Amino acid sequence: MRYQNHLTLPNDVQEVPQLNAFVDEVCETAGLDMSTTMKINLAIEEAVVNVMNYAYPNGKGDVDIDAQINDEHLKFVISDSGTPFDPTVKAEVDTTLSAEQRSIGGLGIHLIRQIMDTINYERVDNKNLLTLSKIITKK
C-alpha cells in the first residue's frame, strides 16, 4: 500500500466540494492526469451523492470514503450504514433509446461503469460497501 486516506461526510450534498477536493488530492497522489482525475471525481461524486440522497430516508447518517493506492490500482471504498442497496444489480441502461423512452434512473451507475474498471458491492456488518477501482497506468 503506497497511500491511503479517509473522509467521513454527513449525508448532505452541500459537502460535495469537500469530497471533490479529497478525490482530487488522491488522484494527484496517484499521478493521474487532469482528464482522468475529472472522470474519477465524477464517478465518486455520483456514487456518494446517491448514498446521500437514498441511504438514510429517515434522517441523518454518515458516508465514509476510503481511498487506497498501490502500484497497480486506485481504489475507493464508499460505505454507509443506511438502507441496503446494491447498485451493481441495476440493469444496463439502453443508451440507444431516446431520453423519453428510457426508464428513470440508472444513468449514474452506467456512468460509474464507464469510468471505473471494477465495481463491487457487499453488505457487511449492516453496512453497504461499494468498491470502485481504477487501474493506474504507469507513465
Side-chain angles (χ1 to χ4, degrees), residues 2-68:
R2 283 194 306 150
Y3 171 89
Q4 59 187 55
N5 204 344
H6 175 85
L7 177 67
T8 300
L9 296 173
N11 64 326
D12 180 351
V13 292
Q14 299 295 317
E15 301 293 333
V16 166
Q18 194 180 340
L19 172 69
N20 296 146
F22 174 79
V23 174
D24 284 347
E25 179 187 321
V26 171
C27 290
E28 190 177 312
T29 303
L32 300 177
D33 62 51
M34 186 55 78
S35 171
T36 305
T37 297
M38 288 172 63
K39 287 177 187 163
I40 290 173
N41 216 323
L42 186 62
I44 303 303
E45 179 180 323
E46 188 63 43
V48 171
V49 167
N50 277 346
V51 171
M52 289 175 168
N53 286 337
Y54 303 112
Y56 300 104
N58 301 322
K60 294 281 179 213
D62 288 333
V63 184
D64 289 297
I65 304 101
D66 286 285
Q68 300 170 346

Side-chain angles (χ1 to χ4, degrees), residues 43-44 47 76 78 86-89 92 108-122 129-134:
I44 303 303
F76 289 90
I78 300 162
D86 181 354
T88 65
V89 297
E92 280 290 340
I109 192 70
H110 174 74
L111 184 82
I112 295 166
R113 283 180 177 133
Q114 298 302 309
I115 295 170
M116 303 305 281
D117 292 309
T118 59
I119 302 172
N120 185 48
Y121 171 84
E122 296 173 281
L129 300 177
L130 183 65
T131 304
L132 307 175
S133 315
K134 186 79 177 162

